[in-house]
Amino acid sequence: MSKIDEYIANRSKNDAEFAKEIKEQSKRSDIAVLVRELRNDLGISQRGLAKRMGKPQSTIARIENGSINVSTNMLNEIAMATNQSLEIRFVSN
């Protein structure tokens, strides 16, 4: 385990708000990676995806850098713009 992982684990044990924020950031990061991988797999630039969605390129950049909490509506727009289906599941921890 790296020092940062140790720090996060220890602080999360003692600070519920910190633990919650770490969990939320982890979800945003997972979504960011999935969107970037989808776009790259399809050979689409951020600008190209944004144009397909009718959004500014900066919106795609913020999604991909994890700085915004993406709604299911936005994920559905991404899916539709890339001819994909959006699947949302609940998974046990």
Side-chain angles (χ1 to χ4, degrees), residues 31 69-79 86 88:
I31 290 170
N69 191 9
V70 183
S71 68
T72 54
N73 288 338
M74 180 71 73
L75 291 173
N76 195 49
E77 288 181 41
I78 293 168
L86 178 62
I88 299 173

Side-chain angles (χ1 to χ4, degrees), residues 10 12 23 39 45 55 59-60:
N10 288 333
S12 292
K23 195 170 192 175
R39 187 179 55 72
S45 65
K55 304 283 184 197
T59 298
I60 306 306

Side-chain angles (χ1 to χ4, degrees), residues 13 23 25-27 33 37 40 43-44 46-48 54 58 62 66 68 72 77-78 83 87-88 91:
K13 288 178 190 174
K23 195 170 192 175
Q25 183 57 47
S26 177
K27 290 176 193 173
V33 169
E37 286 177 349
N40 287 337
I44 305 168
Q46 286 184 350
R47 188 174 309 279
S58 60
R62 288 194 314 268
I68 62 173
T72 54
E77 288 181 41
I78 293 168
N83 297 316
E87 180 180 297
I88 299 173
V91 180

Side-chain angles (χ1 to χ4, degrees), residues 5-43:
D5 291 333
E6 284 181 36
Y7 172 79
I8 291 169
N10 288 333
R11 182 156 176 204
S12 292
K13 288 178 190 174
N14 300 318
D15 185 342
E17 191 62 32
F18 177 81
K20 181 180 174 184
E21 182 58 34
I22 287 293
K23 195 170 192 175
E24 285 300 313
Q25 183 57 47
S26 177
K27 290 176 193 173
R28 287 192 298 269
S29 295
D30 291 346
I31 290 170
V33 169
L34 290 171
V35 171
R36 186 173 43 251
E37 286 177 349
L38 171 63
R39 187 179 55 72
N40 287 337
D41 289 347
L42 296 173

